[in-house]
């Protein structure tokens, strides 16, 4: 059974870089069948798609965050990562990693989420 | 970006009720729409994809329909476990976008 688990610091200072890792178990991140993505949810608010990555390293980013976001893949550890630079309090959110398909974009496997707080 | 507009924002209903949540896309998305259910402190759970296809393991009281750029999620007979927040998502174009959510609460 596929499982995804986010990990990383829960507190990031303003102007610094948020870094999170998603570890995948029960399946290979090197599969050509899937995309691996990040979604975030500010406290009490809705969902925002951040971006995704294919095993080849090809990425798609939300234009609203594109200048600050990097998603990378580490096939040796079956992990992929998110970096968000120059964070502000507006970046405080639960960050989810998730899997979608190469031929479909719905998200059928999610991690449990990781709360990252940026103090104001 | 494709805008997804859900209605209502909040819905109060009782166990056994039939309820419908609507999601409207700002342009054609060719049926590439998913519905998710999110409970407090949990990740969203996929309910429906391709507008009308029920994800494996999802109870048959959930159903999705589509008409042009308007999509609906219907729960035929509400169960206590169904009270949650529901989101639609389009995956026709990048960036993928979600509706603002519909909170289904107990009347």
């Amino acid at each position: 059974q596929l499982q995804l688990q986010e990990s990383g610091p829960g507190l990031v200072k303003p102007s610094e870089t948020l870094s999170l890792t998603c570890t995948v178990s029960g399946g290979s991140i090197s599969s050509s069948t899937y995309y691996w993505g990040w979604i975030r949810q500010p406290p009490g608010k809705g969902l925002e798609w951040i971006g995704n990555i294919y095993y080849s390293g090809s990425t798609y980013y939300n234009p609203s965050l594109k200048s600050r976001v990097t998603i990378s893949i580490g096939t040796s550890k079956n992990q992929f990562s998110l970096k968000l630079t120059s964070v502000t309090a507006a970046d405080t959110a639960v960050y989810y990693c998730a899997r979608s398909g190469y031929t479909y974009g719905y998200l059928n496997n999610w991690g449990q989420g990781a709360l990252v707080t940026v103090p104001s | 970006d494709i805008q997804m507009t859900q209605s209502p924002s909040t819905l109060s209903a009782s166990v056994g009720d039939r309820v419908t949540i609507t999601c409207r896309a700002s342009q054609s998305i060719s049926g590439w729409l998913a519905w998710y259910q999110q409970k407090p402190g949990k990740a969203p759970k996929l309910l429906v994809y391709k507008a009308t296809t029920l994800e494996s393991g999802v109870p048959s009281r959930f159903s999705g329909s589509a008409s042009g750029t308007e999509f609906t999620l219907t729960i035929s007979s509400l169960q206590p476990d169904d009270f949650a927040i529901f989101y639609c998502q389009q995956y026709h174009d990048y960036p993928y976008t979600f509706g603002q959510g519909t909170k289904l609460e107990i009347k």
Side-chain angles (χ1 to χ4, degrees):
Chain A
Q1 181 181 359
L2 186 79
Q3 291 188 318
L4 296 88
Q5 177 69 58
E6 305 87 351
S7 59
L11 185 66
V12 180
K13 294 179 181 178
S15 79
E16 295 191 344
T17 297
L18 179 159
S19 296
L20 292 172
T21 296
C22 182
T23 301
V24 178
S25 57
S28 174
I29 203 168
S30 299
S31 170
S32 60
T33 312
Y34 302 109
Y35 273 92
W36 306 92
W38 291 95
I39 302 94
R40 70 180 182 177
Q41 184 173 38
K45 296 188 178 181
L47 300 162
E48 180 180 30
W49 183 81
I50 298 171
N52 64 15
I53 190 166
Y54 192 51
Y55 81 102
S56 63
S58 173
T59 54
Y60 292 93
Y61 298 137
N62 193 322
S64 68
L65 298 168
K66 188 174 183 177
S67 63
R68 300 194 291 131
V69 170
T70 301
I71 298 175
S72 58
I73 198 161
T75 55
S76 62
K77 293 186 177 180
N78 225 34
Q79 296 175 331
F80 62 105
S81 300
L82 169 71
K83 290 190 185 298
L84 182 66
T85 62
S86 305
V87 297
T88 69
D91 295 309
T92 293
V94 175
Y95 286 77
Y96 295 100
C97 58
R99 187 187 78 174
S100 60
Y102 181 72
T103 59
Y104 59 84
Y106 56 85
L107 303 149
N108 55 355
N109 291 95
W110 295 67
Q112 64 185 30
L115 174 63
V116 179
T117 301
V118 182
S120 54
Chain B
D1 298 3
I2 298 175
Q3 305 303 313
M4 306 301 293
T5 304
Q6 283 183 239
S7 60
S9 296
T10 305
L11 181 57
S12 297
S14 302
V15 172
D17 284 354
R18 177 185 179 90
V19 299
T20 297
I21 299 168
T22 299
C23 179
R24 185 173 285 106
S26 61
Q27 64 187 72
S28 173
I29 58 172
S30 303
W32 300 114
L33 183 109
W35 289 99
Y36 302 87
Q37 177 190 50
Q38 186 178 34
K39 296 181 179 179
K42 300 293 187 182
K45 172 190 173 185
L46 177 68
L47 298 175
V48 172
Y49 60 91
K50 196 59 173 81
T52 61
T53 303
L54 212 60
E55 171 72 338
S56 176
V58 173
S60 59
R61 62 181 180 272
F62 291 91
S63 64
S65 64
S67 177
T69 59
E70 186 167 297
F71 303 86
T72 59
L73 176 71
T74 298
I75 309 173
S76 60
S77 178
L78 274 174
Q79 299 302 302
D81 189 49
D82 297 340
F83 293 93
I85 299 176
F86 294 84
Y87 294 95
C88 61
Q89 176 225 343
Q90 68 80 19
Y91 51 97
H92 180 267
D93 282 341
Y94 286 119
Y96 296 155
T97 47
F98 294 88
Q100 78 277 20
T102 294
K103 183 177 182 180
L104 177 57
E105 57 184 28
I106 300 174
K107 184 185 288 185

